[in-house]
Amino acid sequence: MCSLEVGAQRLALSLDWSTGRMNSSDIRVVCSDSAGCVSVFSLAEGALMALSQWKAHDFEAWITAFSYWNTQLVYSGGDDCKLKGWDLRAGPSSPVFTSKRHSMGVCSIHSNPHLEHILATGSYDEQVLLWDGRNMRQPLGESAVGGGVWRLKWHPTHQHLLLAACMHNDFHILHCQQVLEGSGGACPVVASYILHNSLAYGADWSRLSLEDPAPQSPPATEPKESLTESRGHLRIHYESPTASFDTSLEDDAGHYIPEAIVAPSTSPAAAPAPNLDKDAPSLSCLLASCSFYDHMLHVWRWDWTPEETQQEPGPH
């Protein structure tokens, strides 16, 4: 549709839309680059227009993101180990705040679209920090995830779930309710995905409802066999370089069959999780993750029942 160069001999390292709370007015994009600069663009009538660009960091600006609650506020993180906030109304002459709380390069930032002022940041220092944007002197909590945190994504509908791509230590889903309610400390990991064979780099949640019929399913014209009669179809989505398989079971209409009904689970065991959100309904999520050197994209499903306290189901 359109394109715009951020600068000669630069790598565009990250971008974020201003519409994280599904507000379609005043659509803008913020981008960070390898020269340490942050750029803001507007999108109108199918064209990108540069609004501002400034030098934000001494080295690579790995990440930039909007505050979804006040899109005049932009965050940035760089290889200079600094996390900064910028008010676009005041101009980029100086940041609103500069935090040196991370001990290595800041490479992931995501504003919570459900909880005002809440921000998640990640770094090569292998820490996920949660912040209240009204007080950036000290984070609300700190979670060690065992790998550089290259990407963070809040769940599109559940305000306390945070997905992290942790480079040398796979993909993890953190439950942040207790920390955000003031308990401090670390967020427990409720699920992990360990089937990539390379650096865990990109990750995001799908907004697709898994309760709806599969889009490709034809309309039913006659009664189908029962599940026990049809026994389901095993669909192999891909074969990995290590000859392991990711599979799912579907019925004749293309609907997903939970593994617990037809076969023992082959997903890796997750660590026991604390009793969280007892009154929350069970949750089924579709996620995508990608890894660096093997050029692999995985799509996987996570089924979670919060009242299960001894063993949370792993992804598959």
Side-chain angles (χ1 to χ4, degrees), residues 23 27 31 42 61 107 112 114 120-121 123 133 150-151 157-158 168 174 180 188-189 204 229 244 257 288 293 298 309:
N23 182 356
I27 301 175
C31 174
S42 66
C107 43
N112 191 312
H114 315 291
T121 65
S123 165
W150 187 252
R151 197 58 74 233
T157 58
H158 292 262
H168 293 285
L174 283 67
L180 294 179
V189 173
D204 205 356
E229 292 171 340
S244 62
I257 302 172
Y293 294 111
H298 292 197
T309 58

Side-chain angles (χ1 to χ4, degrees), residues 202-218:
D204 205 356
W205 307 88
S206 170
R207 292 181 176 270
L208 178 68
S209 171
L210 296 181
E211 304 305 319
D212 297 333
Q216 70 273 20
S217 301

